[in-house]
Amino acid sequence: MGTLELLLDLHLRNDRQGPGGDEETRRAIELARLDPALPIEAADIGCGTGASALVLARALNARVTALDAAEPFVARLRERAAGAGLADRIEARVGQMESPPFRERSLDLIWSEGAIYNMGFGAGLRAWRPFLRAGGVLAVTELSWTTAQRPPEVEAHWTSEYPGIRTVAENLGTLEREGYHPLACFVLPENCWEQNYYAPLRAGFAAFLDRHAGDLDAAAIVAAEQAEMALRARHGAWYGYAFYIASRGADSEG
Ligand code: SAH
């Protein structure tokens, strides 16, 4: 089994594939200042198994197109949506975030938790803005430095794992430069990492290693996840996931 298939197998059974929380998704929905009664078109890009798509469909009068490159995640979200009675509100589709299947100016809301890093924050913002209607809202989470300086060990880890990592202030500047109007920004609390993401992942390690006994790639994946968790325990104060909520605004093109 290839590394990608192994990663999908490790994460498939979990509610979330990155740090986050339903409460924080709801908080961001409030900060987006959308009328919960108004019918809207929403997209959840890099939806994984769909935790945020499910919250969006419940909290808003939204039709949610949930997009992910990984077919097993999309299939899992279809099951979850059907189980929650939300199949008519959530359309889960396989697709690439670099070329999403949306028409220009067709979306009132673009959501993306823990996924825009696959394109890079600025590149994702630039690529997705045309799909928003005037006044439409974007809400994304992104791994971010929480200070201007940090210890060398944590600096070295994340600049190697994700060279695109920037401070919260730099990312707000990027939003503005890409033509968005920031509405709000908050850093996810620690339970979004430990309780909601790392604990369920850790609980699945033994069964995962059983399913792939003798597979060196599988062992390496678990070791890398454990190293990331240990780094968080030592240096978690220096980085976090921040929610960035911004409006496309009215623009000069009309
Ligand atoms: N939003 C979910 C998943 C975050 S993990 C959550 O918060 O739980 C990042 C997701 O991005 C994965 O599901 C992965 O399959 C997806 N992904 C990675 N590259 C992608 C691409 N190029 N296009 C679409 N989805 C992609």
Side-chain angles (χ1 to χ4, degrees), residues 18 30 98 102 167 212:
E30 273 171 36
E98 293 82 356
F102 307 121
T167 65
H212 307 287

Side-chain angles (χ1 to χ4, degrees), residues 4 8 11 14-21 25 44-53 67-74 80 93-100 111-119 128 141 197 241:
L4 179 62
L8 295 180
H11 287 273
N14 293 347
D15 178 43
R16 287 183 176 266
Q17 286 70 44
T25 300
D44 185 351
I45 301 181
C47 61
T49 59
S52 55
L67 190 76
D68 201 281
E71 195 279 331
F73 287 173
V74 171
R80 294 179 79 186
R93 302 179 55 153
V94 177
Q96 298 295 322
M97 63 173 70
E98 293 82 356
S99 51
W111 210 265
S112 183
E113 295 195 26
I116 197 171
Y117 74 89
N118 287 292
M119 290 184 74
W128 299 345
T141 66
Y197 178 52
Y241 254 94

Side-chain angles (χ1 to χ4, degrees), residues 16 18-25 27 113 186-200 232 241 243:
R16 287 183 176 266
D22 289 2
E23 197 182 320
E24 287 66 32
T25 300
R27 184 172 305 154
E113 295 195 26
F186 67 94
V187 175
L188 296 181
E190 199 55 31
N191 70 300
C192 288
W193 291 78
E194 180 50 36
Q195 275 100 292
N196 299 353
Y197 178 52
Y198 282 154
R232 178 113 201 122
Y241 254 94
F243 235 121

